Amino acid sequence: MPKLKTHSGAKKRFKLSKNGKVKRAHAFKSHILNKKSTKRKRNLRKAAYADKTNMKAIKLLMANH
């Protein structure tokens, strides 16, 4: 079987941590920010980890990254 290419969209959105977890950014932080509270926007800045149910699929997309 040929080598898998890294998914271009996935490489921009996810980073792998040293212990194998997948780091991701929060959604809902790009526009229409007036109605969102400062506290909510501040919490959206923080990084999060992908859920374990999606971990296998994301790692496959990041195959040679």
Side-chain angles (χ1 to χ4, degrees), residues 5-64:
K5 288 191 175 182
T6 302
H7 189 279
S8 298
K11 76 180 172 191
K12 294 169 193 171
R13 287 174 172 84
F14 304 110
K15 294 271 181 280
L16 291 172
S17 68
K18 296 281 182 187
N19 58 1
K21 288 184 180 178
V22 179
K23 259 177 91 168
R24 64 167 178 86
H26 281 101
F28 309 112
K29 183 64 176 74
S30 56
H31 63 122
I32 316 175
L33 299 172
N34 295 333
K35 61 177 86 169
K36 293 168 190 158
S37 70
T38 310
K39 181 181 178 180
R40 183 173 164 194
K41 289 184 283 192
R42 185 169 58 245
N43 284 326
L44 289 174
R45 270 186 234 143
K46 298 172 184 173
Y49 291 107
D51 192 71
K52 66 175 175 29
T53 56
N54 300 320
M55 211 74 87
K56 191 176 175 183
I58 294 168
K59 283 183 180 176
L60 190 64
L61 294 172
M62 306 275 287
N64 56 353

